[in-house]
Amino acid sequence: MSVKPLRSVLYVPGDKPRAVEKARTLGADAVILDLEDAVAPEAKDAARENVRAALGWRWPRPVLVRVNGLGTPWEHADREMALTAGAAGLVLPKVEDARTVRDLHLGLPLWAMIETPLGVLRAPEIAAVTGVAGLIVGANDLARALRTRPHPDRLPLLHALSAVVLAARAHGKVPLDAVFNDVRDPEGFARECAQGRTLGFAGKTVIHPDQIAPANLAFGVTGAEAEEARALLAAWEEARQEGKSVTTFRGALIEQMHVDEARERVEAWEAGRG
């Protein structure tokens, strides 16, 4: 059975009911209803009630809730609401150690945000925790903590980005790339998506509807790629019927590793169309 991809994951402020309602009609693979950074302190309680109501609607895609962090005045109410209102998962901000996540015992898939230097260093331990579904990079806070300067290719963050991918992939979890802040720069967004795909991220978190389709394209599988994968699988099957353990496809040697990758591409293509 194909697993639905998470090429694009849209943040939506929990205190903006019209934006939340609109998110149901957009093409993101998942939605994060945000109670944390996108919501001012005086609007936290109202946002929580908005999100509670929204979780009762019929959604065509998974809906996660980013709760306020540990030690904040809203953490317990946020988590209780998400647990009882039907969220598909919880996004936990500024996760820095595995024990904190392990001790929550929430019974929902947890998405740990890695947005501090300590979080990056402990990402392997965090990813290893049962119940953690994936790691999400929070590049804005991370860049600030590292005192880096802006760079169009995210050069100062490359080590941290790759460390998060490595930790997630090592434990079979999903790595999601950080948001791109300038919604007026589609070329820059496309460039950063391509970079994230090259680094090994499964998808990208986005903050504007216009970023959804480019993210889906960048992190998805095209029809041509799916056809290429099917052709490789056919060549492999023919070779197996002839008793061969390796063969060539269009001049290149292929073995089981390439077959597994081709199957994943076909499954991703089929899942992305659903």
Side-chain angles (χ1 to χ4, degrees):
M1 179 176 166
S2 298
V3 177
K4 279 288 187 182
L6 289 175
R7 304 162 298 179
S8 58
V9 180
L10 175 67
Y11 282 106
V12 183
D15 62 341
K16 301 292 188 295
R18 292 180 61 183
V20 172
E21 186 170 0
K22 183 179 179 181
R24 289 195 294 173
T25 68
L26 302 175
D29 288 331
V31 171
I32 298 174
L33 301 182
D34 192 9
L35 298 175
E36 197 220 9
D37 280 353
V39 180
E42 62 272 17
K44 297 286 190 184
D45 293 339
R48 187 183 311 112
E49 295 311 307
N50 288 339
V51 170
R52 185 194 306 275
L55 289 172
W57 303 341
R58 184 183 298 275
W59 288 80
R61 57 193 51 83
V63 181
L64 315 176
V65 176
R66 179 161 72 166
V67 296
N68 284 282
L70 300 178
T72 66
W74 313 282
E75 60 160 314
H76 297 295
D78 285 355
R79 293 203 299 271
E80 181 181 2
M81 179 278 296
L83 285 168
T84 58
L90 291 184
V91 178
L92 305 175
K94 297 181 177 62
V95 176
E96 291 188 321
D97 67 87
R99 185 177 64 181
T100 299
V101 179
R102 193 181 300 114
D103 289 349
L104 288 177
H105 299 299
L106 296 176
L108 276 180
L110 303 177
W111 292 81
M113 293 203 68
I114 306 300
E115 44 191 336
T116 67
L118 194 54
V120 173
L121 292 176
R122 292 177 174 171
E125 304 161 32
I126 295 165
V129 174
T130 300
V132 169
L135 305 181
I136 304 175
V137 176
N140 291 329
D141 286 297
L142 181 59
R144 182 175 181 277
L146 292 173
R147 306 296 193 270
T148 67
R149 299 178 65 182
H151 191 282
D153 295 322
R154 299 194 290 184
L155 185 61
L157 296 179
L158 285 182
H159 173 76
L161 295 173
S162 290
V164 171
V165 172
L166 184 63
R169 296 296 188 187
H171 294 283
K173 308 301 173 66
V174 178
L176 293 178
D177 200 358
V179 301
F180 183 80
N181 297 317
D182 191 350
V183 299
R184 303 162 301 175
D185 182 10
E187 291 80 11
F189 179 75
R191 183 174 63 248
E192 192 165 290
C193 283
Q195 181 196 47
R197 174 75 181 266
T198 299
L199 290 173
F201 284 101
K204 193 162 185 66
T205 48
V206 301
I207 56 174
H208 192 276
D210 289 347
Q211 296 177 331
I212 294 172
N216 287 346
L217 179 63
F219 289 94
V221 175
T222 66
E225 289 172 333
E227 284 303 311
E228 180 86 356
R230 290 191 185 98
L232 185 149
L233 292 172
W236 176 258
E237 183 59 29
E238 182 179 349
R240 291 300 298 269
Q241 290 177 2
E242 295 174 358
K244 300 176 182 177
S245 59
V246 295
T247 188
T248 59
F249 175 70
R250 298 183 180 171
L253 182 71
I254 60 171
E255 49 190 344
Q256 188 63 50
M257 174 185 69
H258 304 101
V259 174
D260 294 341
E261 184 179 22
R263 288 196 180 114
E264 288 175 2
R265 286 188 178 179
V266 173
E267 290 175 358
W269 161 250
E270 293 172 348
R273 297 177 66 193

